[in-house]
C-alpha cells in the first residue's frame, strides 16, 4: 500500500469537532477534543467515537459506561484547542468553561450549541484507538441554530490549513 | 428525550459522500451511496461504516469480508444519486460507471478521485444499521487533488438544502 495515497485518501473524510466528556462518579472527569465521530444507526440512535486507548478520556469513558459529545460551534475554535490539553475542574468550571451535569453525569458545556448523551453499548478493542459505540439517550440544544445544523458545527478544516487528525 | 433536539443535534455531524462497493466472488456485486463513515484508528488504519442491515450491500459486504469506499468528488452529485438506486453491472460498467477490480475484488470507480479498500475486522450487530469496522489494506488516488483533501469531497450538504441522512 502506498502510504501517501492512504494518508491523502483518508484525509478526504470531513470531520466536525466535538468535546467528549464523561464522569465516572469516582472523581474522574474527562473532557477531550475528538473528531472521529459518526452516527451508526437510527433505531436505536447510535453514534460511534474513535477514542485513543492511552488517554485518560478512554479510561474515564470506559469506567463511566456513559459519555457526552458536545458539538462545537463554527466560532469556537479556541475551545477546540482548550480541550486538546488535559482538562481540570476548578471553581466549578471545566478548564475554565461553564458546564452542568447531564443525565449521564457527563459535563455538558453550556457554551456549546448542542450535545448528545450516550450510554456505551459496545467497544471494539482494535487499534491504537478503540471504537466506542453509544446509544443516544439524551440531547441538548443550548442555543438555536439558523440554517443547516451541519453548517453550524466547527470543522477540522476550520482549525488551520494544515491541521488534520486522520490519514 | 426530546426527539427534535436529538434529530437536530445529530444532524450537526458533517458527512462526506461515499460509494461502498464489494464483490463476494459468487456473482454478487454491490455499490451503494453511504455517508456514515469515520476513521477509527491510525495503527492499524481502521475505518468504520454504518451499513443498513436490510440492504443488499450489507449482505454482500458481510459475505465478501472486504469492501471499498470510493470517495466522491465535489462535482459528483449525480453519482451519489446513481448509487442510491440498486446497482447493476452491464457491459462491464457498474450502473453505467467505469470501474476496475481492486485488490479486494471490490469495484473501484475510475471517475472517483480516490478510494480505500478494507478487510472487515469486526461487525457490531446493533441497530437498524450495523457498525462495520475495516482495516485499510489498499488506497487509490485516481486523480490529483488541489488544496485540502477534505475540501475536495462531496458532502451531504452539497446534495440539497433539505437532504440529510442522520438524526
Amino acid at each position: 500500500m502506498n502510504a501517501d495515497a492512504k494518508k491523502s485518501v483518508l484525509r478526504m473524510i470531513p470531520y466536525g469537532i466535538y468535546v467528549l466528556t464523561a464522569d465516572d462518579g469516582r472523581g474522574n472527569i474527562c473532557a477531550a477534543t475528538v473528531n472521529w465521530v459518526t452516527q451508526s444507526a437510527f433505531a436505536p440512535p447510535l453514534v460511534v467515537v474513535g477514542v485513543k486507548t492511552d488517554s485518560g478520556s478512554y479510561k474515564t469513558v470506559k469506567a463511566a459506561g456513559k459519555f457526552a459529545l458536545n458539538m462545537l460551534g463554527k466560532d469556537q475554535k479556541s475551545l477546540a484547542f482548550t480541550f486538546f490539553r488535559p482538562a481540570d475542574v476548578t471553581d466549578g468550571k471545566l478548564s475554565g468553561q461553564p458546564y452542568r451535569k447531564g443525565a449521564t453525569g457527563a459535563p455538558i458545556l453550556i457554551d456549546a450549541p448542542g450535545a448528545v448523551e450516550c450510554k456505551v453499548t459496545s467497544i471494539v478493542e482494535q487499534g491504537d484507538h478503540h471504537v466506542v459505540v453509544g446509544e443516544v439517550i439524551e440531547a441538548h440544544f443550548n442555543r438555536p441554530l439558523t440554517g443547516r445544523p451541519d453548517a453550524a458545527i466547527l470543522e477540522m478544516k476550520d482549525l488551520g490549513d494544515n491541521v488534520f487528525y486522520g490519514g
Side-chain angles (χ1 to χ4, degrees), chain A:
Chain A
M1 179 164 61
N2 180 309
D4 285 341
K6 182 206 62 156
K7 187 169 79 173
S8 296
V9 177
L10 286 176
R11 285 183 173 181
M12 291 186 77
I13 303 172
Y15 293 108
I17 304 291
Y18 313 84
V19 179
L20 171 69
T21 58
D23 182 337
D24 71 1
R26 290 187 296 277
N28 300 302
I29 292 179
C30 70
T33 302
V34 299
N35 63 287
W36 286 348
V37 169
T38 183
Q39 187 164 352
S40 73
F42 285 113
L46 300 176
V47 294
V48 159
V49 192
V51 186
K52 202 163 183 277
T53 55
D54 64 1
S55 66
S57 294
Y58 180 72
K59 199 180 291 183
T60 304
V61 166
K62 206 166 176 174
K66 295 165 193 162
F67 64 87
L69 281 174
N70 295 270
M71 277 64 181
L72 293 185
K74 215 52 168 173
D75 57 343
Q76 295 183 311
K77 182 172 163 177
S78 68
L79 272 190
F81 288 96
T82 295
F83 292 104
F84 281 142
R85 296 186 295 271
D88 68 279
V89 177
T90 308
D91 298 336
K93 294 193 171 182
L94 186 60
S95 298
Q97 296 301 312
Y99 75 99
R100 58 192 166 82
K101 256 182 181 311
T104 59
I108 305 299
L109 296 176
I110 289 165
D111 291 345
V116 287
E117 294 188 81
C118 304
K119 68 166 190 230
V120 175
T121 59
S122 193
I123 298 180
V124 182
E125 300 189 343
Q126 287 173 350
D128 54 6
H129 294 59
H130 286 174
V131 176
V132 177
V133 184
E135 180 178 343
V136 178
I137 56 169
E138 192 53 271
H140 308 275
F141 241 139
N142 296 326
R143 50 182 161 102
L145 298 178
T146 53
R148 285 182 67 100
D150 55 0
I153 197 167
L154 183 68
E155 290 178 277
M156 182 59 71
K157 53 180 167 263
D158 299 323
L159 297 186
D161 286 348
N162 296 305
V163 181
F164 291 96
Y165 195 83

